[in-house]
Amino acid sequence: AEADVPGIVADFRKGMSGRTRMVVEIRVRDRAGNLHWMEDNGATIVDATGSVVAITGILRDITGRKNVENVTNESEKKFRAIFECSPYPIAINSYPDNRFMDVNKAFLDVSGYTRAEILGKDPVTLGLLSLSKTAKLIAHRLRTGTLVDVPLALTAKGGRRIHVLF
């Protein structure tokens, strides 16, 4: 595509200056006018004096991969917007160690903790959840196979109790 021409020219100049390996993603139109993403794995061939004598390349159509990447990026943006703007406290924890990977602003507001105080820690270490309540949650999950709408009292920073549906 015309928008890719400056990048292609720049990469060609790098190759001509002696750079030996290049991987470049470019867009090209086929005869029917359809746009395709291509990955060019190129190499510069130099002679014994170091002069460039040839540039080789293998083009591979990566349109499918790029389409999946675009859909995934859009999905991530939507999820991130919902996650960050939700009025409900949301936490994403790792499994099986249950460490906080991310929390939204509502979670921080309700818990009284900062993001730095929470990330990488588990609810028991923080004091949000007692060990006995954690054991009850684990037992509930083992018994029912899920943790949906389980009433729970958490302890916020400073000792304030927060009643939630986990």
Side-chain angles (χ1 to χ4, degrees):
E2 284 185 39
D4 295 336
V5 170
I8 294 168
V9 170
D11 288 327
F12 182 77
R13 285 190 178 134
K14 286 178 192 173
M16 291 304 291
S17 69
R19 186 171 169 188
T20 57
R21 297 273 311 138
M22 296 175 287
V23 178
V24 181
E25 292 181 359
I26 59 174
R27 294 173 296 171
V28 297
R29 288 203 184 278
D30 63 19
R31 289 181 185 156
N34 300 313
L35 195 62
H36 295 269
W37 277 98
M38 305 298 282
E39 180 180 78
D40 181 8
N41 286 293
T44 303
I45 300 170
V46 295
D47 63 15
T49 66
S51 297
V52 175
V53 294
I55 295 179
T56 64
I58 298 172
L59 288 174
R60 181 170 58 117
D61 190 331
I62 59 169
T63 304
R65 184 185 85 198
K66 293 299 270 187
N67 289 341
V68 169
E69 287 174 6
N70 289 338
V71 168
T72 302
N73 289 340
E74 286 303 312
S75 179
E76 171 61 23
K77 286 178 189 174
K78 288 177 187 174
F79 168 78
R80 180 61 47 194
I82 293 167
F83 178 79
E84 290 298 332
C85 297
S86 175
Y88 301 106
I90 302 172
I92 300 173
N93 294 67
S94 60
Y95 182 82
D97 62 358
N98 204 27
R99 296 190 183 281
F100 288 104
M101 296 170 59
D102 204 355
V103 294
N104 68 352
K105 183 179 179 323
F107 189 98
L108 297 173
D109 292 344
V110 167
S111 71
Y113 288 97
T114 66
R115 188 174 305 281
E117 291 172 316
I118 287 180
L119 296 185
K121 298 184 181 73
D122 67 89
V124 174
T125 301
L126 280 174
L128 277 171
L129 203 56
S130 69
L131 197 53
S132 64
K133 293 221 192 276
T134 301
K136 287 179 184 176
L137 279 174
I138 292 169
H140 180 82
R141 185 174 186 280
L142 291 172
R143 191 173 57 254
T144 65
T146 186
L147 286 175
V148 177
D149 294 334
V150 178
L152 190 62
L154 302 177
T155 305
K157 188 175 182 178
R160 186 173 43 87
R161 304 292 279 173
I162 308 164
H163 295 277
V164 299
L165 282 178
F166 190 87

